[in-house]
Amino acid sequence: MPSSDVLRLYRQIWKVARRIPRGKVATYGQVAELAGIPGGARVAGAAMRASKGLPWQRVLGKRGKNRAGVAILDPVGAAVQRRLLEAEGVEVTDRGLIDLVRYGWVPPR
DNA sequence: CAGGTGACTCTTT
DNA sequence: GAAAGAGCCACCT
């Protein structure tokens, strides 16, 4: 069980994750930065893992300059995430990669 | 305070 | 392009 402190922090991250619109995706680093934790990508990952009922499938691991990849390493979980994304209109390659130029979320200032 | 962990990311081999 | 190292943040023992 996470402490109340971590919950407060995670809530901030979840708040950001909830703003990601359908058909768009963001990276852990991006979510962390918007949540006020620059460089805290790993924290965002932990928060998403502990999330319930959030669009966690829209938060991906960055796998290059202009592309991201499904977050989950586990083949079964990765397949689920890929399915959810495709259901929202996000193109996912057979290798589980996504074009950030086309589907990357650009948060409103 | 020191050391270990992780749905991360960047650079170098 | 895969593998390895190092840097990063917050949390837990």
Side-chain angles (χ1 to χ4, degrees):
Chain A
M1 279 289 275
S3 66
S4 60
D5 273 357
V6 73
L7 279 184
R8 186 174 44 199
L9 181 59
Y10 283 7
R11 262 197 280 272
Q12 186 60 33
I13 294 171
W14 296 339
K15 200 168 158 188
V16 173
R18 261 198 301 276
R19 295 169 41 199
I20 306 174
R22 278 191 98 218
K24 290 290 181 181
V25 299
T27 67
Y28 290 106
Q30 185 180 1
V31 171
E33 185 172 3
L34 291 172
I37 318 166
R42 314 186 65 133
V43 180
M48 294 316 294
R49 189 174 68 75
S51 74
K52 299 285 195 305
L54 284 172
W56 58 270
Q57 69 273 19
R58 298 183 193 145
V59 185
L60 317 170
K62 204 173 184 183
R63 311 209 67 179
K65 204 170 183 10
N66 295 330
R67 59 168 125 190
V70 296
I72 301 188
L73 283 298
D74 170 56
V76 180
V80 172
Q81 180 171 26
R82 197 170 67 202
R83 222 169 83 69
L84 290 170
L85 288 172
E86 289 174 337
E88 304 186 342
V90 176
E91 278 185 40
V92 183
T93 70
D94 51 353
R95 300 272 267 335
L97 297 179
I98 291 150
D99 184 357
L100 282 179
V101 176
R102 291 189 57 190
Y103 300 107
W105 175 46
V106 182
R109 178 175 35 66

